[in-house]
Amino acid sequence: MKRIVIILLGMLATAFLLPTVTFASGQDITTIPAPEGIMALISVIPIIVILVLLFLKVDMLVAGLAGGILAMIIGGISLTRANELLLSSIPAMLSITVPIINSAIATAVFKSGGYASALALVRRGIGGRVEYFAAFIVLLMAAATYMSGIGGGTAMVLAPLAFAAVGAVPELIAAMCLAAAVSFTTSPASLETSIVSQLSGANVGDYVVTMRPYWMLFTAIAILIGFIGTKMRGAAFVGEESEEIKAKSNRELFINTIPAIFLLFAVIVGPYINQAVGMPILGPLMYLVITIGLIALCTNFNVKESSTALVDGSQYILTRLFQVGIFITFINIIGETGAFTAIVDVAKSAPATILVPALIIAGYAIGVPAGAYVATILSLILPIAISLDLPLLAIGLITMGVGLGSQMSFVNITMQAQSSGFDIPILQVVKGNTKYILGSLVILVVIGLVML
């Protein structure tokens, strides 16, 4: 690591000493003229350097810094310009408030025990039909991830509960991973949606509405995988409820789940109600206040604990948005060299019908080794898709492709949470996921061919 730091400092000194090029401060990185000849190839080297470092599991900011400094040397970009990009990139990411609010509220619902109560209630209601319990776990995984935007956090809560109830059923684990991938890449609360919105200029709500049918399709596929796989294996309940859950009646458990039910209703149905009445009757302010109030009324949390859970719940996404804001600074520096325009010029020569499938597969392929950095991968690949004037649906499908790749990655947080929660090696999780994630990728590519 010390050697890497010395190399980076040397590169930064070189960038400082080289002649600088002046750029218009408001210029879009995807509209900068592409360099010609050998410089077109050289300008792409920083992107390759970042990808290689990510594959080698180097920290995303270190990888980004290496690529950014190299781009400064190649393009003669000044430190003044780099500072301008940093001071504009971070505020731009932190200004996407709806995902921050949704993620914080959903995390508060998690901490209050709403999801554990929902699982216990369903288990009591279905008797010995464990396959229905498995299907509900997958549904809850999708819904909770969709509301919170955090696949790893959801898995950390649900995987141990699922393991205690039915054991390590491979199909259930694969179904939960698939549900997580398609949920956090299309969620109104996720970092990934924030990045899509920031890079494409599309409204978060428009992106969410565009992708919702495909989220529902793949969630249904995941539920079927969990249901059929659990039934075919003849799984049975293997554990008892916790003492705290045992002490609660069905009525008490249902009351505990009310905040989660309301939040899901507000996130999915709220926009349509708002449009119908002509005012944000279920806008972020209202469902924030109502959900926190419901947590205080319906769970063991009081008002102070509910408010604290809300604030604490914002930490994850705010930290990640700050992190990605720094990384996007380096991507914008690379863009100033014309690298993305050069890539787009090459891509435009390919048949239009294969562009989206090719980008979906590329996103998936990068996501497998670098699945800990889904947001980082999107920051690299989406500017290319956006420069090609691809529709919002295409951008969403590409984002889903990266998400699917992350569920084959040894370094992805959701995968690590599944490994820990189900008490199995992560290699076993990857092997169990393979045919279902690859099958879903094929379906995604077909959608890209047919729908666009």
Side-chain angles (χ1 to χ4, degrees):
M1 181 56 71
K2 288 183 179 179
R3 185 176 299 176
I4 292 175
V5 172
I6 292 171
I7 292 172
L8 289 176
L9 289 175
M11 291 171 63
L12 187 60
T14 304
F16 180 74
L17 293 172
L18 285 177
T20 60
V21 180
T22 302
F23 293 90
S25 60
Q27 195 167 14
D28 185 340
I29 64 171
T30 59
T31 61
I32 293 171
E36 298 179 354
I38 190 64
M39 285 306 298
L41 293 175
I42 293 175
S43 69
V44 180
I45 292 176
I47 299 175
I48 297 172
V49 168
I50 291 176
L51 289 174
V52 170
L53 291 175
L54 290 176
F55 291 164
L56 296 174
K57 303 179 183 179
V58 173
D59 180 81
M60 64 177 284
L61 293 185
V62 175
L65 178 61
I69 293 175
L70 190 56
M72 291 175 68
I73 296 172
I74 291 170
I77 298 167
S78 69
L79 284 174
T80 300
R81 178 58 178 152
N83 280 326
E84 290 176 358
L85 292 171
L86 175 68
L87 296 178
S88 62
S89 298
I90 294 176
M93 289 306 304
L94 294 175
S95 67
I96 306 173
T97 53
V98 172
I100 296 171
I101 293 170
N102 288 350
S103 180
I105 300 170
T107 304
V109 173
F110 259 125
K111 291 184 176 182
S112 69
Y115 300 114
S117 296
L119 280 178
L121 191 61
V122 169
R123 178 173 176 174
R124 291 183 187 181
I126 63 173
R129 294 172 293 182
V130 69
E131 63 271 18
Y132 290 95
F133 182 77
F136 184 76
I137 290 173
V138 179
L139 176 61
L140 194 56
M141 182 78 182
T145 303
Y146 192 75
M147 287 186 286
S148 68
I150 307 171
T154 307
M156 287 175 190
V157 173
L158 295 185
L161 296 175
F163 178 63
V166 300
V169 178
E171 289 77 11
L172 173 57
I173 298 170
M176 291 176 68
C177 290
L178 174 57
V182 300
S183 296
F184 72 69
T185 52
T186 60
S187 163
S190 71
L191 174 63
E192 289 72 23
T193 294
S194 300
I195 291 170
V196 171
S197 173
Q198 180 60 38
L199 294 178
S200 69
N203 182 272
V204 168
D206 292 339
Y207 172 73
V208 169
V209 170
T210 299
M211 296 308 299
R212 185 167 290 153
Y214 304 95
W215 168 65
M216 294 174 70
L217 170 65
F218 282 100
T219 296
I221 291 171
I223 291 171
L224 285 174
I225 291 170
F227 179 88
I228 296 172
T230 304
K231 185 176 179 64
M232 289 180 62
R233 288 184 181 271
F237 286 120
V238 296
E240 297 294 332
E241 296 173 345
S242 67
E243 292 300 321
E244 182 182 1
I245 292 293
K246 276 184 180 180
K248 293 184 178 182
S249 66
N250 289 348
R251 181 176 178 275
E252 289 174 318
L253 290 175
F254 176 76
I255 290 173
N256 290 164
T257 66
I258 289 175
I261 295 170
F262 170 77
L263 180 59
L264 184 61
F265 175 82
V267 166
I268 295 178
V269 183
Y272 300 102
I273 295 176
N274 297 338
Q275 186 177 10
V277 301
M279 63 181 294
I281 192 170
L282 274 181
L285 174 61
M286 286 302 296
Y287 64 70
L288 183 155
V289 173
I290 293 173
T291 304
I292 296 305
L294 287 173
I295 291 173
L297 289 172
C298 301
T299 73
N300 295 331
F301 279 23
N302 57 35
V303 174
K304 181 180 179 181
E305 289 170 328
S306 302
S307 299
T308 301
L310 171 72
V311 175
D312 291 345
S314 68
Q315 291 179 359
Y316 176 88
I317 191 167
L318 284 171
T319 302
R320 295 300 179 270
L321 285 172
F322 178 75
Q323 183 182 40
V324 171
I326 297 174
F327 182 83
I328 286 180
T329 300
F330 303 132
I331 299 305
N332 287 336
I333 291 172
I334 295 171
E336 299 262 318
T337 68
F340 290 105
T341 313
I343 294 172
V344 168
D345 287 348
V346 174
K348 284 180 177 176
S349 63
T353 53
I354 68 168
L355 276 177
V356 175
L359 287 171
I360 290 172
I361 294 171
Y364 171 85
I366 299 171
V368 173
Y373 308 113
V374 172
T376 306
I377 299 166
L378 294 178
S379 301
L380 281 167
I381 199 169
L382 289 188
I384 300 170
I386 292 163
S387 299
L388 292 167
D389 293 324
L390 295 177
L392 193 56
L393 173 57
I395 293 169
L397 296 178
I398 294 164
T399 303
M400 268 192 173
V402 177
L404 290 179
S406 73
Q407 300 309 297
M408 295 291 294
S409 173
F410 288 84
V411 295
N412 181 261
I413 297 173
T414 305
M415 296 288 284
Q416 292 171 351
Q418 298 284 39
S419 171
S420 174
F422 283 96
D423 196 25
I424 57 175
I426 196 167
L427 177 60
Q428 191 173 331
V429 178
V430 173
K431 287 181 176 179
N433 285 1
T434 300
K435 61 181 178 181
Y436 299 107
I437 297 297
L438 286 177
S440 299
L441 177 65
V442 170
I443 296 172
L444 195 64
V445 168
V446 171
I447 292 172
L449 282 169
V450 173
M451 299 300 294
L452 298 165

